[in-house]
Amino acid sequence: MNIIAIDPGANGGIAIHGKVDGDYHTSVEKMPDIYPEIYDVLCNQFHRRIHIAVVERVGFHRQGNNASASAKFARHCGHIEMALYAAGIPIQYVAPVTWQKAMGALPKDYKERKRKVKELMQARYPHINVTDWSADALGILTWALEQQAKD
């Protein structure tokens, strides 16, 4: 199955797993800043016939966050949803706690957790230079692939 996994944050990324020339490959793209570029990244995957996009369920206001920043992030998440819809790619959402739980025991501290996810993804995808922006997208992809294997 050809899958796109999306960490929608401004510092997020898009992990793509699909068949190219008869073999499965995984690659990553940095999250574009503007919606036309988001759509372009998705359209560049048409040769793979993407079956589903797994998107981290975020994009809403959390108490303590800046309201203006929350609104901007929510609009960005909406741009991603619209680009997926326009590209004809169905969406499945996954909560951060759900995909992170599949990684095993992770530190509670945000920075330590991010470091651990990056380390785990680098071990799993040694052909990819895993960065801060790509680690969570690869974590979401890993969760999606494991869910697919269970079905």
Side-chain angles (χ1 to χ4, degrees), residues 53-66:
V54 180
V55 180
E56 188 174 42
R57 185 178 294 283
V58 292
F60 42 86
H61 181 69
R62 293 189 185 270
Q63 189 173 359
N65 287 357
N66 176 295

Side-chain angles (χ1 to χ4, degrees), residues 28-141:
V28 292
E29 297 268 349
K30 185 155 180 34
M31 178 56 65
D33 293 327
I34 58 175
Y35 61 90
E37 291 174 1
I38 294 168
Y39 182 70
D40 289 345
V41 167
L42 297 173
C43 285
N44 287 338
Q45 304 310 316
F46 278 147
H47 67 282
R48 294 186 188 187
R49 201 176 138 258
I50 299 299
H51 296 98
I52 193 159
V54 180
V55 180
E56 188 174 42
R57 185 178 294 283
V58 292
F60 42 86
H61 181 69
R62 293 189 185 270
Q63 189 173 359
N65 287 357
N66 176 295
S68 176
S70 291
K72 183 178 178 181
F73 183 47
R75 279 193 311 276
H76 178 72
C77 290
H79 294 154
I80 291 168
E81 290 172 342
M82 190 61 213
L84 289 165
Y85 176 80
I89 302 171
I91 304 171
Q92 175 185 350
Y93 294 96
V94 60
V97 69
T98 301
W99 73 260
Q100 289 172 8
K101 189 176 180 181
M103 301 289 114
L106 294 174
K108 299 255 187 242
D109 177 71
Y110 176 81
K111 286 185 179 182
E112 284 299 308
R113 186 173 62 247
K114 292 295 247 183
R115 183 195 59 73
K116 182 66 175 177
V117 169
K118 183 178 172 182
E119 179 183 293
L120 290 168
M121 294 303 99
Q122 188 63 72
R124 182 164 181 133
Y125 303 97
H127 65 285
I128 295 174
N129 178 27
V130 178
T131 63
D132 289 340
W133 61 261
S134 65
D136 284 2
L138 287 166
I140 295 164
L141 176 65

